[in-house]
Structures are given as structure tokens and as C-alpha cells.
Amino acid sequence: AIVMLLEVRLDRLVPQMNNIIDYMLLRTQDPDEGVSLEACEFWLSLAEQSICREALQPHLPRLVPVLVRSMKYNEIDIILLKGDVEEDEMVPDREEDIRPRFHRSRSHHAGNQDPDSDDEDGGDDESSLSDWNLRKCAAAALDVLANVFGVDLLPVLLPILKETLFHAEWEIKESGILALGAIGEGCMGGMVEHLSDLVPFLINCLSDKKALVRSITCWTLSRYSHWVVGQPHDQFLKPLMTELLKRILDTNKQIGRAHV
């Protein structure tokens, strides 16, 4: 109801906006994903309002970590996505594995990139994960907030990326790579100075032992591809193309089907 009011009667919420933001921050972390998903929708809706920058600026140090944590795969997702199955090339294709893919919106926020959809990186072939969920909503929220705040988001996000991208747990590392891709458009101006280090790191991640890490890395690299092709080709493009061609022959079929 609050999210709906935000879209139609913003004037009624403005006097209590700080309290509402505090409440939505708490509920975005609710253990019930139905609750957390509804709360996470709030950030997407708020980003469309003219007051977003002023209202959210003081809350970014708390909001951004919550969104990145929400982007981590949960245990059920990993099981459904066969995230621990690294080789399946000998398993016969199902009909749905080889059917043509057509664009389809996952939610009413159709304008946002969906890194887990068949249309983006081939990372979600299970019908049970094709629906809008907390991970996708949080990634979309970070995407639109990056467009609202631009480089001003980076002082909060960069320390988080430094911690997550090099984390020992692959699920956290994967969520960091997703976050890096999510800000690829809005924060590009501030990310340029870091890409000479990050792109080789991502190219290396294309050969990560975990299939879901390899998959999301394909998508994140696509978000920075225009920068890559603008650099000396021997430096980044050729190593990247070499690894992408290897992924087409990946022993995990969902990586081979990814839109690299």
C-alpha cells in the first residue's frame, strides 16, 4: 500500500519520508521473502520520484549494503539452478533447453535489465526462478539508483565491492559481480578509472570453478563492453574474446547458452 501511495499521493508521504525509509530498510531485510520483495519494490518506485536524491542521500550508507546482501542467491535458488553441478554436457537437452528465446518482461519494471533472465545471460532456465524475486528486484533497484546518484553512489559502494568481489564464499563473490554489472550504466563515469584492474579480474572469473559465477560474469562484462572495445585490442578485447569463446564450449550447458 505504501508503494502504491508513493506513486499516486507522494505529497501525503513526504512529511513522514524519513520514517518510511527507515521502515522499508528494515522490511527489505525481513526473513519472509514475500515481505522483503514488497519492501524492495519501494526503492524502485522512489527512484522514479523527483525527491529521490534528496530523500535517500542520507540513507545510502545503510541502503546500499542491504541491496547488495539481497542480491545473494539463497540455498533454494542454488539447488533449483543446479549451482553445484559444474558439468552437464553429457546430459541430453530438454526441449525447453533448445527452444528459441524471445524477450519477455519479468515485472512491471520492464525497463530494468534482468541479469538472471534467459534474455540476458541464460542463468535462469528453471521456470520456478523466472518470476520476479528479491535478488532481481534488489539488482534492479541498485541499477536505477546508480542512474539517480551517478558517481555519488561510489563512495558507499566501492568498499562493499572490494569486500564482496574477493570474498572466499562464491555466493558472495557472485553477488558482488552482479552489483558491479548493475551500476555499469549509471556509474560508468566514476568506474572508468577502475576498469583497467576490474576487467582483467572479470576475464579471470570467466574460468571460475563455479558455473553461476561464470554465468553472471558474462553479463557483467557485457555492461562494460563498450569500454573494452575502445581500448587497445591486445590489452583487453583479445583476452576477453578468447575466454568468451571457451565459455561457448563450457562443460556447463547453461553457460554455453549464455548470450556472450
Side-chain angles (χ1 to χ4, degrees), residues 24-256:
M24 287 301 187
L25 268 167
L26 186 63
R27 294 281 68 82
T28 301
Q29 303 170 76
D30 196 280
D32 185 315
E33 184 165 333
V35 175
S36 58
L37 176 57
E38 291 292 342
C40 197
E41 290 275 1
F42 175 80
W43 314 114
L44 283 169
S45 295
L46 183 58
E48 298 173 356
Q49 308 301 323
S50 59
I51 68 162
C52 177
R53 188 179 182 93
E54 179 183 357
L56 270 187
Q57 182 80 52
H59 302 278
L60 287 180
R62 290 186 297 149
L63 173 59
V64 173
V66 168
L67 291 178
V68 175
R69 285 197 299 271
S70 299
M71 291 155 63
K72 176 185 171 184
Y73 277 122
N74 61 41
E75 293 182 4
I76 295 176
D77 290 342
I78 293 170
I79 293 171
L80 292 175
L81 281 169
K82 303 178 178 66
D84 289 324
V85 177
E86 296 309 315
E87 297 185 9
D88 62 358
E89 61 182 341
M90 302 306 294
V91 178
D93 286 321
R94 302 169 299 170
E95 181 178 353
E96 57 266 35
D97 289 338
I98 57 178
R99 69 180 184 271
R101 284 196 289 272
F102 301 94
H103 177 76
R104 56 189 183 278
S105 174
R106 300 301 196 212
S107 77
H108 63 280
H109 297 286
N112 293 310
Q113 297 266 354
D114 181 356
D116 287 328
S117 73
D118 292 341
D119 312 305
E120 290 299 331
D121 74 348
D124 252 270
D125 286 323
E126 298 295 328
S127 59
S128 56
L129 286 182
S130 65
D131 295 330
W132 190 240
N133 58 28
L134 179 61
R135 169 186 163 88
K136 295 177 183 180
C137 187
L142 187 63
D143 188 336
V144 295
L145 291 176
N147 280 281
V148 170
F149 288 96
V151 296
D152 292 339
L153 189 69
L154 293 181
V156 178
L157 183 59
L158 285 177
I160 298 171
L161 287 179
K162 185 176 181 180
E163 179 181 348
T164 55
L165 288 174
F166 302 98
H167 202 279
E169 295 181 26
W170 74 265
E171 299 96 333
I172 296 177
K173 176 181 178 180
E174 193 274 349
S175 69
I177 295 173
L178 171 55
L180 180 60
I183 64 166
E185 178 182 309
C187 296
M188 187 64 190
M191 291 303 297
V192 167
E193 63 182 281
H194 304 286
L195 291 181
S196 59
D197 293 321
L198 285 172
V199 168
F201 166 78
L202 290 171
I203 292 174
N204 186 59
C205 288
L206 286 174
S207 57
D208 193 274
K209 64 180 182 179
K210 289 295 182 179
L212 291 177
V213 172
R214 301 197 299 273
S215 180
I216 199 60
T217 301
C218 289
W219 177 77
T220 292
L221 278 165
S222 75
R223 300 276 276 176
Y224 294 96
S225 58
H226 57 292
W227 180 88
V228 171
V229 298
Q231 307 305 307
H233 289 181
D234 287 339
Q235 189 174 5
F236 299 112
L237 183 59
K238 286 186 178 180
L240 173 57
M241 290 303 298
T242 299
E243 289 303 315
L244 287 179
L245 289 171
K246 291 178 183 177
R247 297 287 67 79
I248 292 176
L249 299 175
D250 200 288
T251 55
N252 184 287
K253 289 189 294 186
Q254 79 172 22
I255 311 300

